[in-house]
Structure formats: structure tokens, C-alpha cells
Amino acid sequence: MALKAGIVGLPNVGKSTLFNCLSSAKAQAANFPFCTIDAQLGQISVPDERLTKLAELVHPGRIVPATCDIVDIAGLVKGASRGEGLGNQFLGNIRECDAIIHVLRCFDNGNIVHVDGSVDPVRDKEIIDTELQLKDLETVESRIKRVEKIANVGGDKQAKVELELLLRYKAALEQGLSARTVELETEEEIAAAKNMFLLTTKPVLYVCNVDDASAKSGNAYTEAVRNAIKDENAEMIIISAQTEADIAELETYEEKQMFLEDLGLSESGCNRLIKAIYSLLNLETFITAGEMEVKAWTYRKGWKAPQCAGVIHTDFEKGFIRAEVIKYEDYIKYGSESAVREAGKLGVEGKEYVVQDGDIMHFRFNV
């Protein structure tokens, strides 16, 4: 599944440093605005301890984790909605993403220039929010003009649904609220919203970039951010991009774990962030396990067995007969597929089965 999360923020908040830690690509990181001009694309592997444990039982030729794409987008400045700085390019890059990773500077460092002269993550958040909201308001007002006549004169039912939703979006945006704060009440509204491609309906994860000392519990800046987003439909995570950069320089797993333990952390911030991005995109994982490979496959939460079969190959979905399902916990408990079968724990599921995160699947099909 080609899903993409975009890293955004003002210049010099740590976006590119974070991107370099997350992906194998290396974006330029430097202490001046617009160091990142072109969007940088990387691919991140989703940490999943279940694959390692299964591999210890199956002894496959390789382990293949789930992945998703991540984009480092040029820093935005005030006036981007009118094309200031790299505004048009920035907004276009966001429109192509499925989710937004909004990095906020939550640390003091006199050696790193802030584009607005002082550290204030809530102000920084509001600058980007405002620019995205202004662009969405422009889009909504233009769309209202087109839809209003069809809804009022032509009596088109779908147009009426769209118009009512557009008017609610307009009211929210004019109050300085993002479109995601508007609750969708019916399936028709959900469908209409998807076709509007608004920037502020995209799911958002706020990443508070802190100093080393604040990586575990945060600081006054992160508390201010938490309070500022409490009424938004958004998530927040605390991470030290510089700490993650230091961890990335270490060669062995043991060295990295010792470094984390010294900081009082049980897991790297990058691992937590990747898992949060995966969840933000409403993604889950099913697994196939055999001698050739143990592999994680990405699917949308709520998908049924035939849809998940189609992730492997379209023929699997077209000719779907049934799915043989082993729960991850049962596989670990009994130690092999044959032992699970003997214990009567292998499920045979049809087209209506909703796949669960961690299911170990084998699809039967005929085309």
C-alpha cells in the first residue's frame, strides 16, 4: 500500500534530522532556513517484535517488515497560503500526503537560529495551522460557489449533503479551527469529505522535539503543546531528534540499548514514532510465515479477508475461497503450524472475516 506521511514544521525545528533518523535517505540538515527545498522521500520499516519471535520458530530465509513512505517537506513560513517562501510547493507536497507529522521545537539552544527569533511551539503550531486553514478556506469558498446552484436549483441530493458540509467547514475555518474538528455525521458526509481533499482534514501527529534531558517526561514547552491541542482530533509524541541521531551513529543493538538505558528509556523515540505514524494512517499488519520468509503485510484497519488477500496479489482477492487464520499468541504457544492444527486452534474463515492485527494468514483461492 503506497501510503505517505509528510514531516512538516517551521524552518530549523529538527524535521530533517528526524527524517534522517527515520529513513535510509539522507536529507541535508543545516542551521539556516530553507535548507530543505525539494521534498525528500524515504521509506521506513515498522518495528515489529512479533516477526523476530516467529522467525525463531520458523527459521525462514529472511524477515520482511511492513513499510510506509515518509516525506521531509520544506519548512513553511507565515504567508505560505499566499505563496510566500516556498508556500505553493509546501502546500502541494502536503496535499499529496495521507497524514501530517508536525514537528515543533520544544528546546532552547542559542546556537540554533529560530526563524521567528524565540522558542514558542504553540505560536509555531498556530502559524502552520493558520496557513493550512487559509488555503482550505479558499478551497471551500470556491467549492461552495460551484455546488450551491446545483443543490438549490437542481435539487441534487448529494450536492445538498456536500453544501451543508462545506458550510460547516467554512464556519469552523473562519473561527481558526481545522476542518478535522468538524464531526462527520453520516456515511454520505464521510464520502463527500474524502472528495474535497482538504489539508486540515488529514490526521495529524504533533512531534515535540526536545533536548536530551526532556526526552523521557517532556518539559514546560511540551505541556503547553498538550494543552493547546486538547480539543483537536490529533495525537502527540515527545522525542529528542538529537538523541535519535546519536543512537543512529551506534553500530550494534547492544550499544543502542545501553544508551537508551542510560537515558532511562525502554525504546527509541524513532521506534515509537514509526509505530505512531503507522497507527495514525489507520494501518495494521497481518503476517505470512513460511520457510522462505516471515513477512508483514499492511492493510487498512477493518478490512475483510478478501481485501487483505488482494494485498498479496489481486488474483488472491478475485478467486478468494477461504482464509486459514492462526492467532499470533497461539503460534507462539504451540510452536508450529502443525501443532496449532493438532490443537484445533487454526481458524477457517470466509469472506466476511474482519482481519485482526497480528493474524497469521494463509489464503486459499482459485482463478
Side-chain angles (χ1 to χ4, degrees):
M1 296 178 66
L3 294 173
K4 204 159 51 173
I7 300 180
V8 306
L10 294 180
N12 290 350
V13 297
K15 302 186 313 301
S16 296
T17 301
L18 194 58
F19 174 83
N20 289 341
C21 297
L22 289 170
S23 73
S24 56
K26 294 295 178 186
Q28 185 186 8
N31 183 21
F32 57 89
F34 304 120
C35 171
T36 303
I37 296 176
D38 296 320
Q40 307 271 339
L41 177 64
Q43 190 175 72
I44 53 178
S45 296
V46 181
D48 195 334
E49 299 80 3
R50 296 172 300 191
L51 301 182
T52 304
K53 291 183 178 180
L54 283 170
E56 291 171 358
L57 299 174
V58 178
H59 306 295
R62 60 176 182 166
I63 300 174
V64 184
T67 62
C68 64
D69 291 337
I70 190 163
V71 190
D72 180 26
I73 298 172
L76 174 145
V77 294
K78 197 177 295 182
S81 60
R82 302 188 305 275
E84 296 291 332
L86 299 167
N88 292 329
Q89 181 177 330
F90 175 96
L91 296 168
N93 287 330
I94 292 181
R95 204 176 295 282
E96 295 172 0
C97 293
D98 301 285
I100 297 172
I101 313 303
H102 188 160
V103 182
L104 297 167
R105 177 172 170 174
C106 295
F107 65 89
D108 293 306
N109 187 331
N111 294 321
I112 300 177
V113 178
H114 190 288
V115 71
D116 282 331
S118 62
V119 178
D120 185 344
V122 174
R123 175 203 61 206
D124 295 353
K125 167 194 172 305
E126 289 173 351
I127 287 173
I128 287 189
D129 283 351
T130 298
E131 296 305 323
L132 299 183
Q133 289 162 7
L134 287 171
K135 197 64 180 178
D136 274 353
L137 184 58
E138 179 185 311
T139 300
V140 165
E141 288 177 337
S142 174
R143 194 154 185 149
I144 286 173
K145 290 178 182 177
R146 295 202 312 269
V147 173
E148 201 165 24
K149 186 175 292 186
I150 301 171
N152 294 335
V153 179
D156 186 291
K157 183 180 177 182
Q158 185 56 40
K160 286 184 177 180
V161 170
E162 186 174 340
L163 178 60
E164 289 175 7
L165 181 56
L166 284 166
L167 292 172
R168 282 160 55 204
Y169 277 150
K170 183 174 184 289
L173 292 164
E174 287 178 337
Q175 294 176 53
L177 300 173
S178 293
R180 79 181 71 88
T181 62
V182 174
E183 291 189 16
L184 304 179
E185 299 171 355
T186 65
E187 291 296 324
E188 289 81 5
E189 286 189 347
I190 292 171
K194 286 181 180 178
N195 292 327
M196 292 178 193
F197 303 106
L198 298 181
L199 299 171
T200 63
T201 57
K202 295 180 185 293
V204 174
L205 173 66
Y206 290 101
V207 178
C208 294
N209 183 17
V210 300
D211 53 37
D212 291 357
S214 305
K216 185 175 182 180
S217 54
N219 54 32
Y221 290 133
T222 62
E223 285 308 304
V225 173
R226 194 184 303 279
N227 185 59
I229 69 169
K230 66 180 187 296
D231 295 325
E232 282 191 40
N233 183 18
E235 302 293 330
M236 174 183 137
I237 189 171
I238 298 169
I239 191 170
S240 168
Q242 187 54 56
T243 298
E244 297 306 311
D246 293 340
I247 292 172
E249 293 296 321
L250 300 175
E251 294 184 0
T252 68
Y253 174 80
E254 289 73 20
E255 287 177 317
K256 293 179 180 183
Q257 288 303 114
M258 287 177 62
F259 190 96
L260 287 169
E261 287 172 10
D262 289 343
L263 294 172
L265 302 172
S266 59
E267 185 178 25
S268 77
C270 276
N271 278 9
R272 290 187 294 109
L273 179 54
I274 292 169
K275 291 176 182 177
I277 293 170
Y278 202 66
S279 175
L280 186 70
L281 290 167
N282 204 28
L283 302 177
E284 291 184 335
T285 297
F286 72 86
I287 302 168
T288 54
E291 291 183 2
M292 183 178 295
E293 64 183 16
V294 167
K295 183 169 183 176
W297 300 86
T298 300
Y299 69 96
R300 288 276 194 187
K301 185 176 181 180
W303 276 13
K304 295 181 180 179
Q307 291 173 287
C308 289
V311 173
I312 299 177
H313 197 287
T314 54
D315 284 349
F316 284 28
E317 182 173 6
K318 291 176 185 176
F320 179 87
I321 299 172
R322 65 180 182 274
E324 296 175 354
V325 183
I326 301 174
K327 296 300 177 184
Y328 168 77
E329 294 77 12
D330 288 334
Y331 205 115
I332 297 301
K333 178 180 178 180
Y334 294 102
S336 69
E337 182 177 329
S338 59
V340 170
R341 288 178 182 273
E342 289 173 10
K345 293 292 184 178
L346 185 143
V348 178
E349 306 290 351
K351 292 182 178 180
E352 295 304 310
Y353 176 70
V354 177
V355 176
Q356 303 299 304
D357 185 55
D359 279 353
I360 300 163
M361 311 284 291
H362 181 71
F363 297 105
R364 300 291 186 182
F365 70 102
N366 183 30
V367 289

